[in-house]
Amino acid sequence: MSSTPISESPAATNFDGSKHSNEATFRLLVESVQDYAIFRLDKNGIITTWNLGAQRLKGYTAEEAIGQHFSIFYPPEQIKRGWPGEELRQALTAGRYGEEGWRVRKDGSSFWASIVISVIRDASGEVTGFAKVTRDMTDRRRLEELEASSRRMSEFLATLGHELRNPLAPIRNAVGVLNQQKALDFELVRRTSVLLDRQVTHMTRLVDDLLDAGRITTGKIRIAMAPVKIQDVIEAALEASRPLVDCKAHVFEVQIPSEPIYVQADLTRLIQVVTNLLDNACKYTPPGGRIRLEGFTEQRSVAIRVADTGRGIDPQCLNSIFDLFVQEKDRLGMKDEGGLGIGLTLARSLVEMHSGRIEVQSEGKGRGSVFTVWLPAVVHKAEPAQREEPADDAEGHVLKILVVDDNKDSADSMSLLLQMRGHIARIAYCGADAIDVARQLQPDLVLLDLSMPGITGFEALPRIREVVRNEQLVAAAMSGFGQEEDKQRTQAVGFDMHLTKPVFSPELDSVIAAVITRIYEGRA
């Protein structure tokens, strides 16, 4: 449709050579059109003509529509902000206005409309009204959304497969190296174990981020707020990101005040935020580049800032990098640093759940990036409760531990790990066997998988407690499900602890320390 305003002339010629008015010509053309709503407005937006297509699309008869203001077709929020009048103003300025957006039918149902408004002028150039054409594009929009969703899902699944295979390759190689050893080489074993630990940690964080993204989009993430020292958050995040920093030999600077700074936060989630920002800086900063981590206060806010000298961000991408599954592509169109495009989305969502905000700045490609997390400062500082440590003479204490898991490799490797720590470990590969082994072993600690065929961990727990003559028995659930409701469920049925697979050494050590502490407290 031309952008030239429609002009009216006194008369037009029919095909038979006779004369008729423009009004008659307009009606003749539009009355037969049923796929488009075509109607006219006066200078104030009042409907003056109405075709069958408009009646079919919008649900109003000509008698109901003519004389009404055309804003009756707009959602309430658009009417409140004066959008119908703005469309007419823009049409007057440019001669024509077009857009796509939601419109409302007589029955209250919504449809996605493509609209064009053209200015009508008389022979002297005076504005007499507007011509408006509306088309229902709901089906096209739905198809486009399905195609876009399918495309994004296909891209995401391909990325997911790629990212999960990346750590699997070095894990498989490391296993091959260990299998080919002809003589025990302690240095080789140490290097291989560091590699395995780094890759398993990376894979676990990929899965955790993916699960957390699902929880955020469904509103299932819960945070437990308490006074948290920023220095503790930064220290833990640095420890988690250290392997990636060391791998690229970055120059790392940390600047935080010696005076404790507190915020009201969920410690685990805030560590996750800072870790994601550090990982992002490491990924997009070339080897030898500089990364700076700062913590400071400004007025009534606490800031954590991660700055790097990496490849920077195109100004056009600054508003989209926090969107789910979005990653800025390089000039060849490839996401050259991997990842699922989830980390920054999680960081922003978690920060906002803490009543904070996250900002990003970059001067462009090759100019580095700066991410700043702003959180409300705690007015009344309170020192967090200190974690109790087991008694000094707990070191060297030998525990009897029962490992129950239907995954044989998982159970065997956990048992081996416990034995290497000097404990007595027995294995059961099903719930029924677990009850028999528990009767014989009389364990101090049971690591019990929940999802097993036959007798589940939930069903096995009370029966294990019945046969174990140890009131201080600690039962820890082991599960791939680690949401807050999962932990509440295991606690409700009698588990003392909940471990989310894979269980890392610090978590295992913490459980063992808690068991030893309970034993010593029971003897006191």
Side-chain angles (χ1 to χ4, degrees):
M1 192 173 287
S2 173
S3 61
T4 304
I6 298 174
S7 297
E8 293 183 322
S9 57
T13 304
N14 284 329
F15 293 112
D16 61 2
S18 62
K19 303 288 185 178
H20 63 81
S21 68
N22 275 351
E23 187 69 26
T25 303
F26 180 78
R27 288 179 178 174
L28 180 65
L29 291 173
V30 303
E31 278 299 322
S32 61
V33 177
Q34 297 192 26
D35 291 335
Y36 293 80
I38 305 175
F39 52 98
R40 287 177 58 170
L41 311 173
D42 68 12
K43 292 190 293 184
N44 298 314
I46 302 300
I47 301 166
T48 60
T49 67
W50 197 246
N51 79 328
L52 291 177
Q55 180 173 325
R56 185 189 67 81
L57 176 58
K58 298 177 182 290
Y60 295 90
T61 64
E63 291 77 14
E64 292 171 324
I66 293 175
Q68 297 271 10
H69 193 274
F70 82 112
S71 60
I72 60 173
F73 311 131
Y74 289 71
E77 61 273 13
Q78 292 189 359
I79 296 175
K80 287 180 181 178
R81 62 189 180 98
W83 185 246
E86 179 61 25
E87 288 185 348
L88 297 185
R89 284 189 290 273
Q90 293 196 32
L92 282 172
T93 301
R96 177 182 182 273
Y97 175 78
E99 71 159 9
E100 290 191 3
W102 290 110
R103 296 294 183 268
V104 181
R105 298 186 179 93
K106 178 184 175 182
D107 62 4
S109 60
S110 298
F111 66 99
W112 187 258
S114 171
I115 67 103
V116 175
I117 301 176
S118 295
V119 178
I120 301 176
R121 300 180 185 274
D122 60 19
S124 64
E126 184 72 21
V127 175
T128 61
F130 304 87
K132 185 169 183 181
V133 180
T134 304
R135 186 180 183 187
D136 185 355
M137 305 299 287
T138 307
D139 290 339
R140 189 208 67 183
R141 183 174 190 266
R142 186 179 297 116
L143 180 60
E144 289 176 349
E145 287 180 342
L146 287 173
E147 290 175 346
S149 296
S150 177
R151 183 174 62 254
R152 286 195 300 269
M153 181 56 69
S154 297
E155 292 175 353
F156 169 69
L157 290 176
T159 301
L160 177 61
H162 175 266
E163 290 303 311
L164 290 178
R165 287 181 181 277
N166 269 346
L168 286 176
I171 289 173
R172 169 56 64 188
N173 294 339
V175 171
V177 168
L178 293 175
N179 286 337
Q180 292 182 34
Q181 278 195 109
K182 295 182 179 179
L184 185 60
D185 184 335
F186 288 104
E187 177 58 21
L188 181 62
V189 170
R190 186 196 66 78
R191 289 169 54 196
T192 305
S193 68
V194 169
L195 182 151
L196 290 170
D197 182 67
R198 181 168 61 245
Q199 296 303 324
V200 171
T201 299
H202 173 59
M203 180 179 287
T204 302
R205 284 168 62 180
L206 283 175
V207 174
D208 286 344
D209 279 355
L210 183 60
L211 293 174
D212 280 344
R215 293 165 191 158
I216 281 180
T217 55
T218 56
K220 291 184 177 179
I221 277 196
R222 298 291 182 268
I223 57 176
M225 305 289 272
V228 169
K229 191 164 65 173
I230 287 299
Q231 284 86 346
D232 293 341
V233 174
I234 290 176
E235 180 181 347
L238 282 172
E239 182 64 27
S241 300
R242 181 60 62 185
L244 193 54
V245 173
D246 293 342
C247 182
K248 285 195 170 183
H250 290 132
V251 178
F252 212 93
E253 301 176 5
V254 180
Q255 183 173 345
I256 51 177
S258 56
E259 180 70 18
I261 302 175
Y262 290 92
V263 293
Q264 197 75 9
D266 184 311
L267 177 61
T268 301
R269 292 303 184 182
L270 197 51
I271 292 172
Q272 184 179 6
V273 168
V274 181
T275 301
N276 281 347
L277 294 181
L278 286 174
D279 286 355
N280 189 71
C282 291
K283 284 196 301 182
Y284 294 106
T285 301
R290 305 179 74 87
I291 298 174
R292 182 180 180 84
L293 176 59
E294 298 177 78
F296 58 92
T297 58
E298 188 170 298
Q299 297 181 347
R300 291 172 294 176
S301 298
V302 173
I304 302 175
R305 177 169 292 162
V306 178
D308 64 65
T309 59
R311 75 179 202 185
I313 304 170
D314 191 304
Q316 296 180 350
C317 298
L318 286 175
N319 293 328
S320 64
I321 60 169
F322 290 105
D323 293 343
L324 192 61
F325 304 143
V326 169
Q327 289 180 304
E328 189 187 5
K329 298 179 181 181
D330 67 7
R331 58 187 175 87
L332 297 178
M334 300 299 293
K335 292 179 285 189
D336 57 352
E337 289 297 337
L340 298 177
I342 291 176
L344 291 179
T345 305
L346 286 175
R348 181 180 63 178
S349 298
L350 291 172
V351 168
E352 290 176 352
M353 291 175 73
H354 284 78
S355 300
R357 69 185 190 280
I358 185 169
E359 299 174 346
V360 58
Q361 296 172 310
S362 178
E363 296 182 5
K365 291 288 188 179
R367 307 291 294 275
S369 307
V370 180
F371 289 83
T372 307
V373 174
W374 295 95
L375 298 168
V378 172
V379 178
H380 300 291
K381 300 176 183 178
E383 189 71 33
Q386 297 297 316
R387 184 174 58 188
E388 293 186 7
E389 299 293 340
D392 292 341
D393 57 350
E395 187 174 349
H397 189 96
V398 177
L399 298 179
K400 291 183 292 183
I401 303 174
L402 171 59
V403 180
V404 187
D405 198 330
D406 63 313
N407 184 316
K408 190 174 185 297
D409 288 342
S410 178
D412 290 348
S413 58
M414 176 61 76
S415 174
L416 180 60
L417 190 61
L418 293 168
Q419 290 176 26
M420 294 179 68
R421 281 169 162 76
H423 302 290
I424 299 170
R426 296 283 301 278
I427 302 171
Y429 300 122
C430 66
D433 288 348
I435 299 166
D436 293 335
V437 176
R439 182 183 292 109
Q440 300 167 11
L441 181 63
Q442 294 297 304
D444 303 299
L445 170 64
V446 178
L447 302 176
L448 183 56
D449 183 35
L450 297 179
S451 301
M452 295 184 293
I455 300 176
T456 67
F458 291 105
E459 297 166 334
L461 178 61
R463 296 170 65 177
I464 290 175
R465 289 198 182 278
E466 285 180 10
V467 300
V468 175
R469 298 180 299 276
N470 181 0
E471 295 180 355
Q472 296 174 340
L473 171 67
V474 174
M478 292 193 302
S479 173
F481 297 98
Q483 297 185 33
E484 188 60 33
E485 52 263 39
D486 300 315
K487 297 177 182 179
Q488 292 173 356
R489 183 187 178 196
T490 54
Q491 183 181 17
V493 299
F495 282 95
D496 301 289
M497 301 176 181
H498 186 110
L499 300 174
T500 304
K501 294 181 177 179
V503 181
F504 289 95
S505 291
E507 297 172 283
L508 186 60
D509 291 338
S510 179
V511 170
I512 291 173
V515 175
I516 294 173
T517 298
R518 178 180 291 194
I519 291 173
Y520 275 90
E521 288 177 348
R523 292 176 181 175

